[in-house]
Amino acid sequence: MTVKGFIFDLDGVIVDTASHHFAAWQILAEDLGVPFDEKDNELLKGVSRVDSLEFILNKGGLVLDSQTKLRLMEKKNAHYLSLSASIGVNDALPGIVEFIRELKSRGMQIALGSSSKNAHQILGQLELTDAFDAIVDGNRITLSKPDPEVFMLGARLMGLTPSECLVFEDAKAGVEAAINGGFQVVGVGNEIELSDADAIIDDFEKMNWERMQNLLSNS
Ligand code: B16
Ligand code: MG
């Protein structure tokens, strides 16, 4: 395997903040009188805050001015941050910290590739900031997944080409972003949603170097 760098999505891969994003959007959608369920939320995983709001407004047939949209995004983010405030060092998803440690001990480079503007805050709460050689978050990109910008920048900051990197993603938009950028990608979670990925794992509980190599050689 020629992989030298690993790019991890944040929400839904390193920590279960996906449920907090869902809850915060649900509160906002309810205020706006727009129906919003888990199926809608699945489409918003990995999608930027502004594009997520546009999705909800579009679903409800609502047209709002840019000031109101800004206010709504601030409101959603405040809900999200209050739901995420209790995240601490023990809340990384099972096996992920050990797997990242193993990769580092083998001399691999590690990057974060997240659409979230809150990524630094959440990584800080998990005390994982120092584990990353490069951090690309929603503040550093202009195009949302499925555009590959977030992963391209991660690869560039590690001094690697996309073909030298492996991406881990829990979102359909994220898997498409990786494929669009020419990366190999492992889907984390739903086999049907993520069926375009090169390989799929349920979680990181039994993940290690050997298992990862087997997964990729069978893909
Ligand atoms: P924020 P990821 C994504 O993070 C989330 O999956 C998505 O639900 C969220 O809307 C997006 O970040 C923007 O987040 O509002 O915090 O900037 O999965 O790419 O790590
Ligand atoms: Mg995600």
Side-chain angles (χ1 to χ4, degrees), residues 9-12 18 21 25 41 44-49 52 76-77 80 113-119 138 145 169-171:
D9 172 50
L10 177 67
D11 297 312
H21 280 294
W25 282 126
N41 187 60
L44 297 190
K45 286 186 179 172
V47 173
S48 69
R49 200 179 304 170
S52 300
K76 182 268 172 178
N77 201 45
Y80 171 73
S114 169
S115 304
S116 176
K117 292 185 171 176
N118 296 299
K145 298 169 186 174
E169 252 297 344
D170 73 313

Side-chain angles (χ1 to χ4, degrees), residues 25-39:
W25 282 126
Q26 232 177 359
I27 294 169
L28 192 94
E30 205 175 305
D31 283 355
L32 293 169
V34 178
F36 183 74
D37 58 23
E38 239 169 295
K39 233 172 147 192

